[in-house]
Amino acid sequence: MSAPYDDNNIFAKVLRGEIPCKKVYEDDHTLAFEDIHPQAPVHTLVIPKGKYVSLRDFAATGSDAELAAFVRAIGKVAALKELEGQGFRIIANTGVDGGQEVPHLHVHVFGGRRLGRMLAQN
Ligand code: AMP
């Protein structure tokens, strides 16, 4: 399991409405919003509303409804951003080796240009 959930992480503040976001999609279990420092023409973040640090604890303890909503939300973002034709990439940085900076599970949805090789060469 991951470290205990930190209620002061930036995405917890977004979920509480303490920090604004550019919302792309929302349902009962999931919120999607624009990344504040986009690295591609489309760079949207998809997060569960529940308190999950990473994919590890979401997969282990999230409800089936939450898991289904999360995956469907990723698909909805791809459709809303019209990425289905040309394609896109999703990334869930996890833990230290994964380079995760915000300790609330999030999937990055990238698209709108050729994204190159899968990993940076460093
Ligand atoms: P990661 O390295 O996978 O944890 O990515 C965290 C992402 O959150 C980065 O791409 C940041 O640009 C993004 N980010 C940080 N703060 C905000 C914010 N307030 N609103 C939207 N995106 C944010």
Side-chain angles (χ1 to χ4, degrees):
M1 297 293 285
S2 305
Y5 186 81
D6 173 10
D7 276 311
N8 287 318
N9 81 76
I10 199 116
F11 294 165
K13 292 178 180 176
V14 169
L15 283 166
R16 290 196 296 266
E18 296 166 11
I19 292 177
C21 72
K22 287 189 185 167
K23 184 162 60 174
V24 173
Y25 172 78
E26 182 174 19
D27 62 31
D28 287 350
H29 298 296
T30 313
L31 177 68
F33 54 98
E34 306 294 15
D35 195 288
I36 203 166
H37 294 125
Q39 296 180 44
V42 173
H43 185 173
T44 302
L45 301 170
V46 183
I47 69 173
K49 291 185 173 176
K51 298 181 178 183
Y52 302 102
V53 175
S54 77
L55 202 59
R56 287 179 299 216
D57 42 328
F58 189 53
T61 65
S63 70
D64 289 354
E66 289 175 300
L67 269 63
F70 190 64
V71 175
R72 291 201 171 105
I74 295 169
K76 283 184 175 146
V77 167
L80 287 166
K81 293 291 183 175
E82 301 181 339
L83 299 176
E84 292 169 317
Q86 283 297 108
F88 59 95
R89 178 176 295 160
I90 62 171
I91 291 177
N93 295 322
T94 305
V96 175
D97 277 2
Q100 182 177 6
E101 293 176 354
V102 179
H104 181 116
L105 169 61
H106 51 283
V107 163
H108 299 255
V109 180
F110 297 106
R113 66 168 168 80
R114 296 290 171 97
L115 294 166
R117 292 181 60 80
M118 193 159 54
L119 294 176
Q121 302 301 299
N122 56 18

